[in-house]
Structures are given as C-alpha cells and as structure tokens.
Amino acid sequence: MGVLERKQRQKEEVRNSILTAAWSIIQTEGWQAISIRKIADAIEYSVPVIYNHFESKEAIMLEFVKEGFRQLRDHIQAQLSDEDRSCQQLEIAGKAYWQFAFANQATYQLMFGMGLPPCERARQVPEIQSFSAMLVSLIQKVIDHSKQPDTNAFLKFHTFWSILHGLVSIQMINRSATPDELSELVLEDAIYGFIKALAV
C-alpha cells in the first residue's frame, strides 16, 4: 500500500471514529449533548483533528440526517411491489414510514430535530431529494389514474408528509411510548382518507 493510500485509509478511519463517537453520545445523552470537545475526548484526539474532518457539529449532524433519509427511502422501497396498484403502493409507503420512525426513534428524532436543514438547503441534500422524489412519484401514479390529472403532486407530497410526520410526532411526545391500537387506527384512517381524496 502506497503512502497516499495509507493516508486516505487513516483519514477514513478517523472520520468513522468521529461519527461512531458522535452517535454513541446521541444514543446515551441525546443529540442536544453533542459538542466537538466531547467527541474529541471520546476518541482521544485534539479538537483541531475533528475540525479537519467536519467544519462544525452541525456538519456531523447532517451526516446522520443524510443516512437517516437513505435508510428511510430504502425501507419504504423494500416494502413496495410493482404488482400492487398505485393506491396500494401509497398506502404501503405511508405505513412503512410509520414503521421506520418507531423502529429507529433516535435516528428519526435527529432527522427532524436540529439536524434537518431548512427548506432551501434541504433541496441541495441528495438523500432528502431522493426520498421526496420517491413519494412524489408514488403520488403522481395515483393522480394519473384519477379524474383530476392536473392535481399538483408536489403539493400533495407535502400534505402527505405533513400527515405522516404529524402523527409520528404526536406519538413521540412521550419518548417511551410505542404505537397502540388506537394510533394505528388513526394512521390507517388518515392514509385512507388522503388516498381516497386523491384518487377521486
């Protein structure tokens, strides 16, 4: 292995150590407890070493936001089948979103806590764009089979996302809470109502 390759590998190892330490702090103390100093102490490096890899703690948080949206998109896509009708696909996507949120609460709360960038910046994050494009595409399929082909799919995407995130957030107010039968019924009713209005 050449000198350049070795340096690159060492750089990647330090970067991964930083992310691993940051995630450990998030899981034990919450994302609000993250600081560059705390991460440096955890991996026994100086603060400037951390700044050589990430310009700020927000940059570290953004890495987890990106990974969260990658995982969310992949989880939803894994549940979908080309054999399902467009309405069924959107229903499956909504329920998969819910499942992901509660199976990965720390990740989800970080994605929509301090880590989620403002709307303008979010448009520049490929992982968020990819997730959004997937849901817009599913919604567009329902619209294409409806009697309202001029419906704005992007607007409906924001409505659908707001419904899902709102229901998840209400449930997560009590951090120890897990979805019960009533909250599952509310989710199904909300998704069914959205799809029914969209498919008319």
Side-chain angles (χ1 to χ4, degrees):
M1 180 183 294
V3 174
L4 287 177
E5 289 87 350
R6 187 178 297 108
K7 285 184 177 180
Q8 183 60 35
R9 188 179 71 174
Q10 290 172 342
K11 185 175 181 180
E12 283 299 313
E13 287 174 353
V14 173
R15 186 178 189 278
N16 289 336
S17 295
I18 291 168
L19 292 173
T20 299
W23 186 246
S24 177
I25 294 168
I26 288 169
Q27 289 187 305
T28 56
E29 303 178 49
W31 58 262
Q32 300 91 336
I34 286 287
S35 72
I36 296 296
R37 166 60 66 189
K38 193 172 285 189
I39 294 169
D41 290 344
I43 63 172
E44 299 180 345
Y45 276 95
S46 65
V47 167
V49 170
I50 310 299
Y51 282 118
N52 282 339
H53 294 269
F54 296 97
E55 64 183 18
S56 64
K57 74 173 185 178
E58 287 75 21
I60 294 172
M61 307 292 260
L62 184 57
E63 288 301 306
F64 295 123
V65 171
K66 290 178 179 180
E67 179 59 25
F69 275 98
R70 272 195 295 268
Q71 292 175 7
L72 175 57
R73 179 204 61 212
D74 291 348
H75 177 73
I76 292 174
Q77 285 181 333
Q79 310 301 311
L80 300 175
S81 168
D82 291 335
E83 296 177 5
D84 292 322
R85 293 183 296 107
S86 56
C87 289
Q88 289 175 318
Q89 287 187 330
L90 192 55
E91 179 183 357
I92 289 166
K95 290 180 179 179
Y97 183 103
W98 174 271
Q99 292 162 359
F100 174 87
F102 291 102
N104 304 275
Q105 290 197 38
T107 298
Y108 189 87
Q109 289 168 354
L110 176 58
M111 287 163 62
F112 293 93
M114 180 185 141
L116 185 63
C119 226
E120 282 304 315
R121 283 189 56 208
R123 293 192 184 101
Q124 300 169 15
V125 178
E127 293 80 2
I128 298 177
Q129 284 291 83
S130 178
F131 160 76
S132 302
M134 177 189 62
L135 280 188
V136 170
S137 175
L138 294 176
I139 289 169
Q140 186 63 60
K141 288 179 183 178
V142 178
I143 292 171
D144 289 343
H145 291 90
S146 75
K147 296 178 182 178
Q148 305 175 70
D150 295 329
T151 299
N152 186 323
F154 192 67
L155 171 63
K156 293 300 181 181
F157 154 69
H158 280 287
T159 301
F160 191 54
W161 193 2
S162 297
I163 290 169
L164 295 175
H165 179 61
L167 291 174
V168 169
S169 298
I170 288 170
Q171 188 67 36
M172 282 189 180
I173 288 173
N174 178 358
R175 292 188 64 180
S176 64
T178 54
D180 55 20
E181 185 178 355
L182 176 59
S183 57
E184 297 277 1
L185 288 172
V186 170
L187 172 71
E188 289 184 10
D189 187 54
I191 293 174
Y192 175 77
F194 176 84
I195 293 174
K196 184 178 180 181
L198 192 64
V200 171

